[in-house]
């Protein structure tokens, strides 16, 4: 006999009258906030930093070069507008041509030797011999030292009377050389010091680029009979082109604005023989009793324009390389 299980009736849902009420509509989910707000929140500190420490100083420097600022007007802010007069004054100044030549020579020679020596050392340390890590760390010392310490050390080494360089030359029968006080040697002296300081940067960047090259390529080339020079010219150098490009660009921007080394060692002299745009800009703006803020800012803007032009050339070259 089949048993029928009777379930108790559920109580009616509704008011006291017992009429069933319609079920409440489900709660709508909140839409997630747009990810653009999060992106702007992360970008805001960087944007404020760039605006405060890059955009605003560039604007102020441009404003200085377009107005006739004195010490009083610099404080009060009522300098008259002069347009491009300060740039014309700089171009007509007899110091412009020598400073331009010295800037080009100083930048080009430093870039070539820093990159060449850094590349040779990077390839050398890429062999992973014993004590390679220790020696590589020692080569970083010039890069880690403050510039004032490095420049002061070179000033002492190249001193005409008590420098160690002239003492070493005297042991082989060569007379003392006025490295820092002779117009013929002052630019060479600051170039040598800057090369010594910049080599570690090139070494670090190029060494990291060598680590990304697969060793299987060298093994295959060795099996095909390629010697060390062929492996370098056919494999290492082409694959290092992207790293080399950014290394040279950063080195160019840094070398264009080198001021500490030249000013500490020679102050741009003697007779402007080692004056570059960086030291000339400082001399015009702060090196005289009556500072010429406008011409000094104009010279500084020329350096900014030069760095910007080379940066745009690099970006365009990288774009063409990607498209090809």
């Amino acid at each position: 006999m089949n048993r029928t299980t009777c379930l108790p009736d559920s109580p009616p849902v509704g008011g006291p009258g017992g009429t069933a009420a319609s079920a409440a509509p489900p709660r709508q989910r909140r839409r997630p906030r747009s990810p653009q707000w999060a992106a702007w929140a992360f970008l805001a500190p960087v944007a404020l930093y760039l605006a405060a420490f890059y955009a605003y100083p560039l604007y102020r420097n441009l404003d200085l070069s377009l107005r006739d600022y004195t010490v009083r007007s610099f404080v009060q802010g009522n300098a008259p507008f002069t347009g491009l007069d300060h740039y014309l004054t700089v171009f007509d100044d007899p110091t412009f041509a020598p400073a331009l030549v010295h800037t080009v020579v100083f930048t080009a020679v430093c870039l070539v030797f820093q990159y060449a020596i850094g590349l040779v050392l990077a390839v050398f340390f890429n062999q992973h011999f014993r004590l390679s890590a220790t020696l590589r760390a020692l080569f970083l010392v010039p890069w880690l030292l403050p510039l004032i310490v490095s420049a002061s050390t070179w000033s002492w080494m190249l001193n005409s009377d008590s420098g160690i360089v002239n003492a070493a030359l005297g042991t082989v029968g060569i007379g003392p050389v006025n490295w820092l006080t002779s117009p013929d040697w002052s630019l060479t002296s600051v170039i040598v010091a800057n090369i010594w300081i910049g080599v570690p940067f090139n070494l670090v960047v190029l060494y990291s680029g060598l680590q990304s090259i697969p060793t299987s390529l060298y093994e295959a080339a060795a099996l095909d009979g390629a010697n060390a020079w062929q492996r370098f010219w056919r494999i290492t150098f082409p694959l290092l082109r992207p790293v080399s490009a950014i290394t040279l660009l950063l080195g160019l921007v840094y070398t264009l604005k080198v001021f500490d080394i030249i000013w500490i060692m020679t102050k741009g002299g003697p007779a402007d023989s080692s004056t570059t745009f960086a030291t000339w800009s400082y001399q015009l703006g702060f090196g005289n009793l009556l500072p010429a803020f406008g011409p000094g800012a104009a010279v500084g803007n020329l350096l900014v324009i030069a760095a910007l032009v080379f940066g745009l050339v690099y970006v365009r070259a990288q774009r063409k390389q990607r498209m090809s």
Side-chain angles (χ1 to χ4, degrees):
M1 182 175 181
N2 295 333
R3 294 182 179 180
T4 304
T5 304
C6 296
L7 298 176
D9 296 336
S10 59
V13 180
T19 56
S22 59
R27 298 177 61 182
Q28 296 181 353
R29 295 182 179 179
R30 294 182 179 179
R31 295 181 179 179
R33 294 183 178 180
S34 174
Q36 294 182 354
W37 291 105
W40 283 111
F42 281 107
L43 287 176
V46 179
L48 292 176
Y49 173 80
L50 293 177
F53 295 99
Y54 287 90
Y56 181 72
L58 286 176
Y59 162 74
R60 287 293 298 163
N61 201 59
L62 181 62
D63 183 68
L64 281 173
S65 66
L66 298 178
R67 296 180 181 274
D68 188 14
Y69 275 96
T70 60
V71 176
R72 177 179 297 179
S73 61
F74 188 84
V75 177
Q76 297 177 353
N78 56 353
F81 183 78
T82 58
L84 300 177
D85 291 347
H86 292 312
Y87 291 89
L88 297 178
T89 302
V90 167
F91 293 148
D92 293 336
D93 196 296
T95 311
F96 176 79
L100 176 61
V101 173
H102 298 159
T103 303
V104 173
V105 172
F106 180 82
T107 305
V109 175
C110 287
L111 280 182
V112 171
F113 279 91
Q114 286 174 355
Y115 176 79
I117 298 174
L119 180 59
V120 171
L121 292 175
V123 174
F124 174 72
F125 285 118
N126 197 38
Q127 307 300 320
H128 300 292
F129 54 91
R130 291 185 60 184
L131 299 179
S132 62
T134 304
L135 294 176
R136 196 166 66 247
L138 291 176
F139 269 98
L140 294 179
V141 172
W143 191 32
L144 300 176
L145 289 176
L147 290 179
I148 187 172
V149 175
S150 302
S152 301
T153 302
W154 276 99
S155 297
W156 169 76
M157 292 173 59
L158 297 176
N159 187 275
S160 302
D161 300 325
S162 58
I164 190 175
V165 175
N166 279 343
L169 293 177
T171 59
V172 294
I174 300 178
V177 179
N178 297 322
W179 298 103
L180 304 178
T181 58
S182 172
D184 299 329
W185 290 102
S186 59
L187 185 61
T188 303
S189 301
V190 295
I191 287 176
V192 171
N194 190 65
I195 291 174
W196 179 78
I197 294 173
V199 164
F201 170 76
N202 289 261
L203 167 61
V204 170
V205 178
L206 295 174
Y207 180 81
S208 63
L210 289 175
Q211 299 301 302
S212 62
I213 300 178
T215 57
S216 58
L217 297 178
Y218 296 104
E219 295 173 357
L223 292 176
D224 291 338
N227 54 31
W229 171 252
Q230 291 174 337
R231 292 195 297 269
F232 170 79
W233 189 249
R234 299 291 184 179
I235 299 176
T236 305
F237 193 72
L239 294 180
L240 273 181
R241 284 178 182 175
V243 179
S244 299
I246 191 63
T247 303
L248 291 174
L249 177 63
L250 295 176
L252 173 69
V253 174
Y254 168 79
T255 309
L256 279 175
K257 64 181 184 65
V258 168
F259 164 77
D260 316 66
I261 301 169
I262 302 175
W263 189 258
I264 293 174
M265 294 181 64
T266 64
K267 289 184 170 57
D272 294 333
S273 59
S274 59
T275 297
T276 61
F277 277 172
T279 58
W280 189 29
S281 177
Y282 179 83
Q283 287 176 345
L284 290 173
F286 305 99
N288 301 316
L289 294 177
L290 296 176
F293 293 116
V299 176
N301 286 332
L302 294 179
L303 289 176
V304 174
I305 294 174
L308 180 61
V309 169
F310 283 104
L312 293 176
V313 170
Y314 168 77
V315 171
R316 186 172 182 179
Q318 289 295 104
R319 185 178 302 175
K320 286 184 177 181
Q321 184 177 0
R322 292 175 184 175
M323 293 177 62
S324 60

